[in-house]
Amino acid sequence: MTRLGAVADDASSAAAAPRLHFVLALGGAIAFVYALWFLVAAPGGDFPLNDDWAYAWSVRHYLETGALRISEWASAAAVLQVYWGALFAKLSGGFSFAALHISTLAFSVVSPLALCWLLRRLEVERAGAALAAVTLVSNPIFLHLSYTFMTDVFYLGFLLVSLALYVDGIERESARSLWLASIAAAAAFLCRQLGLSIPLAAAIVLLLRGGRVALRPALRATLIPFAVFAAYTLWLTQIHGVTWAFELQVVQNSLPNLLRGSALRAFPLQLLYAWLYLGIFALPILVAALVSEPLAANRTRGLLVPFAAWALLCIGATWYAHHATGTGMPYLPGVIVRDGIGGVTIGGEKPRVTPDWVFVVVAMVAPAAGAAIAALWTDALANLRRELAGRGAVVLLASLFMAALTAPMVKLWDEYLLVFLPASLYLVLRETSISLRGWVAGSLVCAAMLAYALSEQAEYVAWNEARWELGNQLIDAGAAPEAINGGFEWVGWYDFEKALPISIATGHGDDLFHWASVLSDRYYMAFQPLGVEAGLSKVAGVVSYHSRFGPGGEIFALEAAKP
């Protein structure tokens, strides 16, 4: 071997060693967080969570009939997700919610790894990319949704994989990466239709940069996802039939409804709330950047004016939520609520895990963090021509397309904002180099977020287990499942297929939740024995629950008094 060859081999080995150390460190950090997940809030329990009963219904139907059928409650595509869940159900011996929830947990690992990979493709330093991955797995919404069979985690994983491959394909002019990216984008679309934004963004970036020369790369980037979109649309409209919930969403989010006075007033407020949430989601990275380079005036001077403007608006939104509406943090419906993560869907007041002062602190921090993210996005939009020529063009443009589709929605849920976190983290990380001190500071913020998320999730799993144990006791005693109101998940799983046709036939097809009150209930569940003292009900059963960190409590089954 020549001396030149030996030098090259030594250089290659020297470069490979830090990469290997980084991969091992990243894998260890993510594995540690997931170990905490399982230790504090072990998955399990054969019952639905949130409204994943609708997607579980499709899996059960597929296992029983061999035919794909999307629930009328579902507005997301969820096709790929159904097959993924069915695979895990078959491997576990048959349909169960536990198998479906484990399938989501298994897939959720894709997201932090793909996020780190994407940021490295965007030339973010290793420390920043690794901290971003830890930030994601510490996010309470991501953690909660990973325990369900909802579409969000599946979509986020394929979104990040496709973006990483598109960046690689565009920057290295790699046909192979573009083909692989298009497959991942098609998979994202088959989880949620929002995924069509990804190949559209890639095609625009390619065409803007290369003109006619880029027609062939643009075709590689879009052929598969656009073909899947056409095939899915044809199947849904001509064979399967558009689902009731999807049609209702289209009507509710139609232009006439969006132009109503109340909707126009709600839109800017929802935008400000979105910044507040994204600021909190990105807080570990923002803190790490601030600690790492507190005096980077040359980079931040141009952001001072938009930051100050957005800070005033975010403070105004926080004040309005607290004083005018009396709600305070959290501002949007969805996963994070005062009574407990995931929402409470049975009667009575559930003992709270998180004290109110935590939400007060978050509300105080959110305006500054939200204004920082908003200022970075404002700068990116103001210099869009420059951004489209940069390495992060497809990531930013795809996020803008998704925002354009999400913003007009009549009701914005907090989990919808998770898909905008990767691009927001990139905007922060490209401006700074994360030092060891910054990494430690950011990790401490992640630890605080994780402590909140795990304590709430453990309590959520515990009281849901008690709820379904109590419901099954009633069934064993002879009660019909349809005669039990065990909350939204219970009614959705047992009543929806029977109740929806009745609701539509009686002229309530435009009411999203009317079906839940169609069938009469003899029993209902609550956290307290409601109506017992007044003689309106009597206690038919009770189950206690507790978790490692929460106060615990009791779930009561109440039998309505006969008239």
Side-chain angles (χ1 to χ4, degrees):
M1 180 180 289
T2 65
R3 181 180 298 275
L4 182 60
V7 170
D9 286 344
D10 290 342
S12 177
S13 299
R19 282 198 299 268
L20 178 60
H21 294 158
F22 170 69
V23 170
L24 292 175
L26 175 65
I30 294 175
F32 175 74
V33 175
Y34 270 80
L36 288 177
W37 284 20
F38 281 84
L39 179 65
V40 176
D46 191 16
F47 47 80
L49 298 171
N50 208 303
D51 56 358
D52 67 2
W53 53 266
Y55 309 109
W57 179 89
S58 296
V59 173
R60 187 179 67 175
H61 185 274
Y62 174 75
L63 292 172
E64 292 175 349
T65 67
L68 177 64
R69 187 75 194 171
I70 306 301
S71 168
E72 294 295 327
W73 179 252
S75 54
V79 171
L80 197 63
Q81 174 183 350
V82 171
Y83 289 118
W84 177 263
L87 171 63
F88 274 73
K90 288 181 177 179
L91 291 175
S92 65
F95 173 84
S96 72
F97 283 100
L100 299 185
H101 296 158
I102 290 172
S103 78
T104 312
L105 272 166
F107 187 84
S108 70
V109 181
V110 171
S111 291
L113 296 176
L115 175 59
C116 187
W117 179 30
L118 169 63
L119 292 174
R120 292 293 294 143
R121 296 278 73 75
L122 294 172
E123 298 184 338
V124 170
E125 292 185 350
R126 290 190 178 101
L131 184 58
V134 175
T135 297
L136 178 61
V137 295
S138 302
N139 185 288
I141 294 179
F142 179 76
L143 184 153
H144 173 76
L145 294 173
S146 295
Y147 278 74
T148 73
F149 192 58
M150 304 283 283
T151 60
D152 306 78
V153 170
F154 293 96
Y155 176 71
L156 180 64
F158 285 119
L159 165 71
L160 292 168
V161 170
S162 61
L163 287 175
L165 287 166
Y166 274 130
V167 170
D168 189 67
I170 292 171
E171 298 303 324
R172 295 198 304 110
E173 299 181 356
S174 168
R176 178 174 175 270
S177 291
L178 288 177
W179 282 118
L180 291 174
S182 69
I183 294 172
F189 172 82
L190 289 176
C191 294
R192 295 175 69 176
Q193 295 90 324
L194 203 61
L196 199 63
S197 303
I198 313 167
L200 181 61
I204 290 175
V205 171
L206 285 165
L207 292 173
L208 286 176
R209 292 186 182 183
R212 292 183 178 180
V213 178
L215 287 176
R216 183 171 293 179
L219 184 63
R220 297 189 189 105
T222 58
L223 179 61
I224 294 176
F226 283 4
V228 168
F229 164 73
Y232 171 82
T233 302
L234 180 65
W235 171 78
L236 184 69
T237 57
Q238 303 302 318
I239 300 174
H240 180 280
V242 178
T243 65
W244 168 76
F246 185 87
E247 286 186 319
L248 193 58
Q249 291 271 15
V250 170
V251 172
Q252 290 181 344
N253 296 313
S254 63
L255 187 60
N257 279 341
L258 294 175
L259 293 177
R260 288 184 293 108
S262 59
L264 289 175
R265 289 192 298 270
F267 175 76
L269 195 59
Q270 285 191 161
L271 175 63
L272 292 173
Y273 288 159
W275 290 132
L276 293 172
Y277 276 82
L278 283 174
I280 293 300
F281 291 173
L283 190 60
I285 298 297
L286 289 170
V287 169
L290 184 63
V291 171
S292 297
E293 297 186 44
L295 300 177
N298 59 319
R299 299 185 184 184
T300 58
R301 187 178 294 113
L303 300 174
L304 288 178
V305 172
F307 172 80
W310 281 114
L312 288 174
L313 290 171
C314 288
I315 291 171
T318 303
W319 180 91
Y320 175 81
H322 181 72
H323 293 281
T325 67
T327 55
M329 175 70 191
Y331 310 109
L332 298 174
V335 172
I336 300 175
V337 294
R338 288 281 180 109
D339 290 335
I341 201 168
V344 177
T345 60
I346 60 176
E349 185 176 347
K350 187 185 81 66
R352 291 186 176 180
V353 176
T354 304
D356 285 343
W357 66 263
V358 172
F359 292 97
V360 173
V361 171
V362 171
M364 294 172 64
V365 173
I373 297 298
L376 290 168
W377 273 105
T378 301
D379 179 70
L381 287 172
N383 298 280
L384 191 57
R385 185 184 296 273
R386 179 197 67 195
E387 297 291 353
L388 291 177
R391 202 171 183 89
V394 67
V395 177
L396 299 177
L397 194 58
S399 294
L400 291 175
F401 287 158
M402 290 190 294
L405 294 173
T406 304
M409 300 190 71
V410 171
K411 180 172 285 189
L412 181 64
W413 300 82
D414 59 7
E415 60 259 41
Y416 293 171
L417 300 175
L418 203 57
V419 298
F420 304 109
L421 180 59
S424 300
L425 295 181
Y426 164 65
L427 289 176
V428 179
L429 288 168
R430 71 176 182 176
E431 298 291 333
T432 188
S433 176
I434 303 299
S435 66
L436 177 59
R437 184 174 60 180
W439 214 98
V440 171
S443 298
L444 291 175
V445 180
C446 286
M449 293 173 63
L450 194 59
Y452 161 77
L454 287 173
S455 61
E456 287 283 8
Q457 183 65 22
E459 185 83 350
Y460 179 78
V461 171
W463 75 260
N464 272 281
E465 287 179 343
R467 168 171 49 157
W468 286 83
E469 179 184 345
L470 185 55
N472 289 328
Q473 288 179 8
L474 293 175
I475 293 174
D476 292 340
E482 297 85 357
I484 303 170
N485 186 342
F488 174 70
E489 295 87 348
W490 183 286
V491 175
W493 181 241
Y494 285 116
D495 291 11
F496 180 75
E497 295 301 319
K498 299 176 183 177
L500 180 63
I502 299 173
S503 180
I504 294 174
T506 55
H508 296 91
D510 59 347
D511 186 335
L512 190 60
F513 293 102
H514 179 267
W515 57 269
S517 59
V518 166
L519 303 181
S520 58
D521 299 316
R522 180 181 175 185
Y523 302 93
Y524 56 98
M525 296 188 197
F527 287 99
Q528 286 93 30
L530 304 175
V532 172
E533 292 184 1
L536 300 176
S537 64
K538 63 180 181 179
V539 176
V542 60
V543 172
S544 300
Y545 68 89
H546 66 277
S547 66
R548 286 183 173 88
F549 303 102
E554 294 176 317
I555 307 293
F556 291 86
L558 305 171
E559 183 178 1
K562 295 182 180 179

